[in-house]
Amino acid sequence: MHYPIGSDMLFHWLDNTAQLSQRVCVVLIAAHVSIRIDWLRQALRGDSHLWRNRLVCSAFFGIFAMIGTHSGFLLDVHQLGKHIAWPAELSDALKHSQAVIGFRDLMVLAAGVTAGPWIGFGAGVAAGGERYLLGGFAGEASAAATVLQGVWAGLAVRFWPVLARRLRGAAFIALVGTLMQKAVLLALVSPYADALALVVETALPVAVVNTFGLLLFLFVMQDLERDRLANQARQAELRALNAQIEPHFMNNTLNTIKALIRRDPDAAAQYVVKLARFLDDTRTNTGANSISLQQEITQVERYLDFQRLRFPEAFQFQRNISPQLLPCQLPPRCLQTLAENALLHGMQGQNRPLKIDIIGVDHGETLTLRVSDTGCGIAAPRLKELGSRPVESAAGNGSGLYQLKRSLKLAFPRQSNLAINSWPGHGTEVILTIPKRTATW
């Protein structure tokens, strides 16, 4: 049996470490891309007590751990220092004197650190079982050590959670896990001389790869966490924008109902009930990131009903929206904001009834909502500024369109468009284009 000694041994360790490190980087990049898949990200950040999440996470880490096995290389304990090409078929059993040096254990450690002992156990069973089937003189010991490392990492983070939040803690978990694996090899593999030769050959490269690989993977997961926090902040801002009601609406509506009480108490009572429903739905919608087009249209019609109470003959409203678009989702108050603007600005100086039309058109992957009025129109200099910032005017500060544009950018960063066309003295048209989605977000 030949052992590389002195500088030859050090060179051989460094060569093994460099080769494994290159392959680890490639696999971690693939893992980084994979965890951005919505359903996988939800499972990784979801309730770890749900069996569905446990199975998804165990399968994810187990598959990448198997890739870690087959991204390594073979060693023959009787020909140390020489790498052997993998068999042509991955199902081919290893020879009795052969073993695998890879980074299977890295991904199992990552499973335990990231998702807890059950996920570490599940990934360890999957990857360890596959390693057992490959055979070789260390097959059984390697399989058992893989399961043990997954459970160890999960328990370490459960009982000492600070370990996963510090680089030294993660490094400690990886190094102890590596020592466990080598101890299992020395305890279970025979003859002992072969086990010792394998441990000497692989200890340093595996320890380095496990340690730095686990740190890199935690950086990947921190990137996922940053995305989650950014998404939560985006949704909170979106809800804050949705919560804003046209400032004078409540005061004007209540004053109108108060005046109606003297003329028609029954009608006033009905409008009080309508107002309660309107405000209740507004409160409910404020807590949502999206509502259906049907819900939004219902709110718009209620809003216009209150305004019609104040201005009985001042405007007319029509809608023409395909029924198949009604389940589609959009940020709350999109259309209501446009209807508010049409009334607030369009009726200025008008001596004829204002006409407001809402038209919805299906374009396949997108839908277009067109809100038009026959009002006084918007002057060209002001038109250029609308939506980009609040614009002061006699009728208001122009914040409605600005807030709407921000809401759309938060909900659909690169997939929405708000276009405004206006003809002074003839009317204004606002065209809203968004992706056609029926699932809430």
Side-chain angles (χ1 to χ4, degrees):
M1 186 180 302
H2 173 67
Y3 295 88
I5 57 174
S7 60
D8 289 339
M9 176 180 285
L10 179 60
F11 177 80
H12 189 60
W13 277 341
L14 293 175
D15 181 52
N16 287 345
T17 303
Q19 290 191 51
L20 285 178
S21 297
Q22 292 174 357
R23 301 175 190 187
V24 165
C25 290
V26 173
V27 172
L28 288 181
I29 290 173
H32 191 191
V33 173
S34 299
I35 62 176
R36 294 188 174 277
I37 301 173
D38 287 340
W39 59 267
L40 180 55
R41 185 168 63 244
Q42 291 172 6
L44 287 170
R45 284 305 176 199
D47 186 353
S48 62
H49 293 89
L50 295 178
W51 281 103
R52 177 185 176 278
N53 289 344
R54 287 180 177 178
L55 289 174
V56 170
C57 294
S58 296
F60 168 75
F61 285 105
I63 289 171
F64 274 96
M66 294 178 200
I67 293 173
T69 298
H70 295 281
S71 295
F73 41 83
L74 300 185
L75 296 175
D76 191 310
V77 73
H78 298 149
Q79 296 179 350
L80 294 178
K82 178 181 178 182
H83 293 169
I84 305 170
W86 266 105
E89 297 293 336
L90 296 185
S91 60
D92 286 357
L94 305 184
K95 295 179 180 179
H96 177 71
S97 59
Q98 291 177 343
V100 180
I101 176 171
F103 50 91
R104 171 185 64 257
D105 297 336
L106 159 62
M107 300 309 299
V108 174
L109 288 167
V113 168
T114 303
W118 279 107
I119 310 303
F121 174 77
V125 168
E130 195 264 349
R131 172 63 188 92
Y132 171 78
L133 294 176
L134 288 175
F137 81 103
E140 294 179 2
S142 296
T146 298
V147 177
L148 181 63
Q149 288 179 96
V151 175
W152 146 249
L155 291 176
V157 172
R158 172 169 292 184
F159 290 105
W160 303 287
V162 70
L163 291 177
R165 295 194 295 267
R166 295 180 179 176
L167 296 181
R168 286 180 298 178
F172 173 76
I173 292 174
L175 289 173
V176 170
T178 302
L179 290 175
M180 285 182 175
Q181 194 254 3
K182 302 311 174 187
V184 170
L185 289 178
L186 291 174
L188 299 183
V189 174
S190 59
Y192 180 80
D194 287 354
L196 180 61
L198 180 62
V199 168
V200 170
E201 175 77 5
T202 61
L204 182 61
V206 171
V208 171
V209 168
N210 282 351
T211 302
F212 287 98
L214 184 59
L215 295 179
L216 287 174
F217 187 84
L218 291 180
F219 281 127
V220 169
M221 295 304 296
Q222 287 175 4
D223 185 49
L224 177 63
E225 181 69 8
R226 284 191 293 270
D227 285 352
R228 185 182 69 85
L229 294 175
N231 185 59
Q232 286 183 344
R234 178 177 66 87
Q235 292 178 351
E237 184 178 356
L238 185 59
R239 286 192 290 269
L241 291 171
N242 294 338
Q244 300 181 31
I245 302 176
E246 198 273 313
H248 304 295
F249 169 72
M250 278 295 298
N251 185 56
N252 291 336
T253 301
L254 290 173
N255 285 334
T256 303
I257 294 175
K258 178 181 177 181
L260 183 63
I261 291 174
R262 293 191 293 269
R263 303 194 314 269
D264 190 344
D266 291 338
Q270 292 176 10
Y271 272 99
V272 169
V273 173
K274 290 180 180 180
L275 180 60
R277 290 176 179 171
F278 176 82
L279 294 177
D280 187 55
D281 283 350
T282 298
R283 177 184 58 80
T284 301
N285 294 343
T286 296
N289 297 317
S290 68
I291 62 174
S292 69
L293 180 54
Q294 176 66 72
Q295 291 173 294
E296 179 69 6
I297 286 292
T298 299
Q299 286 294 84
V300 169
E301 291 176 338
R302 287 172 176 168
Y303 171 81
L304 293 176
D305 192 20
F306 294 124
Q307 299 294 11
R308 191 176 288 109
L309 179 62
R310 294 181 60 207
F311 311 106
E313 306 295 333
F315 67 91
Q316 301 170 1
F317 169 67
Q318 288 185 334
R319 77 174 199 183
N320 183 10
I321 299 176
S322 302
Q324 63 265 26
L325 292 180
L326 295 179
C328 294
Q329 298 285 311
L330 71 167
R333 300 192 73 253
C334 282
L335 295 181
Q336 187 177 327
T337 296
L338 299 180
E340 290 174 2
N341 274 2
L343 284 176
L344 186 62
H345 303 285
M347 290 196 302
Q348 296 180 45
Q350 288 285 91
N351 55 14
R352 67 182 190 278
L354 179 73
K355 294 182 179 179
I356 301 176
D357 292 322
I358 298 181
I359 300 173
V361 181
D362 189 344
H363 294 291
E365 294 185 357
T366 63
L367 66 92
T368 295
L369 297 169
R370 188 186 306 265
V371 181
S372 60
D373 65 67
T374 58
C376 60
I378 305 170
R382 178 180 172 84
L383 184 62
K384 293 180 180 179
E385 297 177 322
L386 284 177
S388 59
R389 65 180 182 86
V391 180
E392 297 292 337
S393 72
N397 64 3
S399 63
L401 286 174
Y402 172 67
Q403 291 168 355
L404 173 57
K405 201 163 187 178
R406 286 178 62 196
S407 295
L408 293 172
K409 186 175 182 181
L410 289 168
F412 312 106
R414 294 177 295 276
Q415 300 170 295
S416 63
N417 185 56
L418 183 69
I420 308 173
N421 303 315
S422 189
W423 304 269
H426 294 86
T428 301
E429 173 187 70
V430 181
I431 304 172
L432 172 62
T433 303
I434 59 175
K436 194 170 67 174
R437 299 179 182 173
T438 56
T440 58
W441 61 82

